[in-house]
Amino acid sequence: MEDNVIDVHGVSSSIRAEEDSPIQRIPAEILQEIFLDAHYTPYSPNIRAGEVDFKVPWTIAQVCATWRDFSLCMPELWRRLPKIIVDVPSHPANIKVEALETRLARSGTLPIIFSLQVKTPPNYRGGPPHNRLIDMIVNHAEKWQEVTIAGDIRTALLALSQAKGRVPLLKTLAIVNSSDIYISNQVIFDVFEDAPLLCHATFEGRFFGRVLLPSRQLVSLKCTCAVMSASTQQILTAASLLQHLEITGTMTSYGLAMPTTTLPVLTVLKILNGSPTCLERLTAPDLKVLDIQTQSHDRSPLLPSLINFIERHSCLISLRLCIPTVEPGTLSHLLQLTPLLENLEVTLPPKQDIEALLYGIDNNPLVPSLKLCTFYLLSRAAIYTVDAISVPALNLLGATRCGQTRPLHINRLESLDVNLIQHPSFQLAPLLRLLEGWDISSTSAALYRLKTDLSRLIPGLLTGSRLEAAPQDDEELKRAFDALGNLEVTAPDLHVSSIHSILKYLSTADEFAYSKRARAILEKWRPSLEDNISDRHWMIQGSSAVYIPIDDARRSCAGFRDEMIFVKDIR
């Protein structure tokens, strides 16, 4: 569908000029699907992928009479409302009121999705504002399905109080408090207490007061808070149907204590920079996915709590542990406690823990059901932990558990990769060099200098923008290409410098004067690069170096071989 999306922002003039154009003969059903796809495939550079472009419905409706009729018959285009910003105590302009009123009318009977942000002066303590935008939203409370409330939530929740008992369709609620005004836990907000379908809740910020929710029916809860709020504490105490819990922040300073609770059907627990208390006081007998990430270098309180927690939850299928470093023996101990594990994502451990995945402990294999294994490098310096000691262990792990021939009673490892999480992509080439054991030679150093020269001489080369058509008589550029053509190189020299990926990019830019020269040099190098594939163990995919078994059938596919040879990010 994406390839067939019509740029509704650019066709209006041509359609008005030619009413008999082929686009006018597209069946209504297909045209409506295109409109919906355009709504969720924004063209504006100011809108991130996956977000809704709220201008699309208006643009479609202004192209021609036919498109306008289609758009007005499609309430799906209008049900997602633009962010509603209310400045207290000022009143909204009439045009904003009319625009919201129009969208609400055109959404028909469909449930609506909206975000309300209430802005107030510093230390504002007034009552609920009388605002036409808020009144209009409250009048349609029966249609609320997904709601985000941001800004001064005290004022916002007071303003929405008339919606209590009138939100039969509400399923998702997010409350984002960006105000520093203290709200006592004695202050109760009960507008959503009786929402019969509410199952997803999010709290961000602090000082929520006590927001009452139907805790016993919640399925997912996300808390991004510096302190434990009364709302979160109450939910965790009563949420017997909670399946997904995500906690970000310490929740220790100035806040209420994490309650001691059992969540009987919780399957996913994610803790980001959280306190060990979250693990010590929580029991989830059906837990399958545990994701713990912390940037703190103080592991002393976390690891004992983590080990104790995993001892009580041995049925884990997925474990993600992103901490600055993993002490020798820690991972092996944890994996002994999780025999059913299928997915492991962890900071690159010491050699002895990698070897434990190979040989097991006391003749007992570790995690025999493991299918996916990712080792993270969390800092720029961490790349150098991939050294002459750990690389053989990684290669042996890949050869032993990723290939078709494996020890008995051990599943094939479908994916083994080393991920440069939060790293610049240009560090992928050094990572690949370390994993493959390639040395920096005088030739690779010369190639790297020529790569630097090309980057300087060809504007736009490293930014991915359109290349300028360099003149053929550019002597400095000509000397660089002559030097490349005359060098005798090996495949490791090329991979260490990444110069071949630069030439690959240049060879496809027909507007560039030296594109044919780049293709000719690549053809000269290709036999060496092709022959080297049989000696390769790793390739770059996205932000990871991925292990490729020797018996991997994809090695014989031309397209896959090209992916092994060339790195997409040429920087």
Side-chain angles (χ1 to χ4, degrees):
M1 174 64 72
E2 185 174 347
D3 294 335
N4 298 318
V5 172
I6 298 170
D7 186 349
V8 296
H9 299 287
V11 299
S12 58
S13 59
S14 61
I15 289 182
R16 292 193 186 99
E18 189 176 349
E19 292 295 337
D20 294 330
S21 61
I23 198 171
Q24 293 291 74
R25 297 194 293 272
I26 296 177
E29 296 81 3
I30 295 178
L31 198 58
Q32 289 177 346
E33 288 297 323
I34 293 173
F35 290 166
L36 286 176
D37 198 70
H39 195 21
Y40 295 95
T41 310
Y43 295 91
S44 170
N46 298 322
I47 299 177
R48 293 175 294 183
E51 293 185 349
V52 174
D53 190 342
F54 295 107
K55 294 181 180 179
V56 167
W58 300 105
T59 306
I60 291 173
Q62 296 172 15
V63 169
C64 62
T66 302
W67 283 28
R68 177 179 174 80
D69 292 341
F70 282 151
S71 69
L72 296 182
C73 294
M74 293 179 64
E76 298 94 336
L77 283 177
W78 308 92
R79 63 186 292 256
R80 289 181 176 267
L81 309 182
K83 179 182 285 187
I84 302 168
I85 300 177
V86 173
D87 287 297
V88 177
S90 62
H91 296 284
N94 288 336
I95 190 171
K96 289 185 177 182
V97 175
E98 292 169 1
L100 179 59
E101 188 175 31
T102 299
R103 289 197 77 114
L104 287 168
R106 292 179 181 179
S107 68
T109 60
L110 289 185
I112 58 174
I113 300 169
F114 70 90
S115 174
L116 171 67
Q117 181 178 4
V118 175
K119 298 180 178 180
T120 56
N123 300 317
Y124 178 79
R125 285 292 182 179
H130 297 287
N131 185 281
R132 293 171 65 190
L133 294 177
I134 293 180
D135 293 343
M136 202 176 302
I137 283 293
V138 171
N139 288 339
H140 288 79
E142 288 77 10
K143 294 170 57 178
W144 294 2
Q145 185 178 62
E146 296 181 23
V147 175
T148 299
I149 301 171
D152 181 351
I153 65 161
R154 184 195 72 88
T155 304
L157 291 172
L158 288 175
L160 297 176
S161 60
Q162 294 302 311
K164 177 176 170 57
R166 297 173 46 213
V167 287
L169 302 181
L170 183 65
K171 293 183 178 180
T172 302
L173 173 67
I175 298 180
V176 183
N177 188 19
S178 57
S179 171
D180 289 329
I181 298 177
Y182 175 74
I183 306 174
S184 167
N185 286 327
Q186 304 304 314
V187 178
I188 297 176
F189 303 102
D190 60 357
V191 61
F192 303 110
E193 183 181 16
D194 304 319
L197 298 183
L198 183 62
C199 54
H200 306 288
T202 297
F203 290 96
E204 294 185 22
R206 57 179 180 169
F207 305 140
F208 291 104
R210 191 180 295 271
V211 180
L212 302 184
L213 300 181
S215 304
R216 296 184 184 278
Q217 68 192 44
L218 290 183
V219 173
S220 72
L221 174 65
K222 179 180 178 181
C223 303
T224 303
C225 314
V227 298
M228 173 68 67
S229 68
S231 304
T232 305
Q233 187 186 57
Q234 179 178 346
I235 292 171
L236 291 177
T237 303
S240 57
L241 297 181
L242 200 66
Q243 299 175 19
H244 185 114
L245 174 60
E246 180 175 334
I247 298 176
T248 302
T250 60
M251 292 197 174
T252 55
S253 301
Y254 314 111
L256 299 172
M258 172 82 179
T260 300
T261 184
T262 297
L263 301 175
V265 297
L266 188 73
T267 56
V268 178
L269 174 61
K270 185 174 184 179
I271 300 177
L272 308 180
N273 297 320
S275 165
T277 305
C278 298
L279 297 174
E280 295 166 0
R281 300 185 177 181
L282 176 64
T283 299
D286 201 33
L287 190 67
K288 297 294 187 291
V289 179
L290 178 61
D291 183 347
I292 296 183
Q293 303 174 46
T294 180
Q295 299 175 357
S296 172
H297 286 266
D298 182 9
R299 300 177 301 282
S300 54
L302 173 63
L303 291 178
S305 299
L306 176 60
I307 291 172
N308 178 269
F309 182 83
I310 291 182
E311 284 177 343
R312 296 184 285 116
H313 300 83
S314 59
C315 293
L316 286 178
I317 292 177
S318 177
L319 173 63
R320 187 182 194 207
L321 182 59
C322 288
I323 59 179
T325 58
V326 177
E327 295 297 327
T330 299
L331 181 62
S332 302
H333 183 57
L334 291 175
L335 296 185
Q336 284 181 283
L337 305 174
T338 55
L340 304 181
L341 204 67
E342 296 180 3
N343 178 48
L344 173 64
E345 302 174 51
V346 64
T347 304
L348 183 68
K351 171 178 174 284
Q352 69 182 67
D353 291 285
I354 300 173
E355 290 180 337
L357 283 167
L358 276 166
Y359 306 119
I361 296 178
D362 297 332
N363 295 321
N364 295 315
L366 278 185
V367 287
S369 300
L370 194 65
K371 297 178 181 179
L372 308 173
C373 182
T374 297
F375 294 127
Y376 290 117
L377 300 176
L378 299 182
S379 67
R380 294 193 178 188
I383 191 173
Y384 299 106
T385 62
V386 183
D387 53 20
I389 297 176
S390 60
V391 165
L394 287 168
N395 284 326
L396 190 55
L397 176 62
T400 304
R401 298 196 63 163
C402 293
Q404 298 298 327
T405 304
R406 300 175 309 283
L408 291 175
H409 312 301
I410 291 183
N411 283 347
R412 185 176 74 85
L413 199 57
E414 298 173 5
S415 174
L416 170 64
D417 62 281
V418 179
N419 186 284
L420 283 175
I421 189 170
Q422 298 178 346
H423 282 250
S425 56
F426 62 75
Q427 287 195 319
L428 286 166
L431 174 61
L432 187 62
R433 175 180 68 81
L434 293 169
L435 289 169
E436 294 287 5
W438 295 324
D439 294 324
I440 299 176
S441 66
S442 58
T443 303
S444 65
L447 288 170
Y448 188 84
R449 287 193 295 271
L450 288 169
K451 173 185 172 181
T452 303
D453 290 342
L454 292 180
S455 304
R456 175 175 54 83
L457 296 170
I458 305 173
L461 180 59
L462 298 187
T463 61
S465 56
R466 183 179 177 84
L467 299 181
E468 297 180 9
Q472 287 281 9
D473 58 354
D474 188 320
E475 287 299 322
E476 195 172 3
L477 197 56
K478 183 177 182 299
R479 283 196 300 270
F481 274 94
D482 287 344
L484 286 173
N486 293 330
L487 274 175
E488 292 298 325
V489 301
T490 65
D493 292 331
L494 296 173
H495 285 295
V496 169
S497 66
S498 297
I499 185 69
H500 62 302
S501 294
I502 286 275
L503 292 194
K504 175 72 170 179
Y505 180 68
L506 293 176
S507 69
T508 61
D510 292 334
E511 71 278 9
F512 183 63
Y514 286 84
S515 60
K516 291 183 179 179
R517 187 77 185 276
R519 284 194 291 271
I521 295 173
L522 276 181
E523 287 305 310
K524 177 184 175 182
W525 291 346
R526 181 170 281 277
S528 177
L529 291 166
E530 289 277 355
D531 291 343
N532 178 251
I533 289 178
S534 60
D535 299 324
R536 294 272 302 278
H537 300 95
W538 302 83
M539 68 177 289
I540 299 301
Q541 288 184 344
S543 61
S544 296
V546 180
Y547 186 86
I548 307 298
I550 293 298
D551 55 7
D552 194 315
R554 295 174 298 173
R555 284 177 175 265
S556 61
C557 300
F560 188 77
R561 293 170 70 86
D562 263 9
E563 288 183 29
M564 289 191 70
I565 291 173
F566 299 105
V567 179
K568 288 186 178 180
D569 193 315
I570 60 176
R571 291 179 292 177

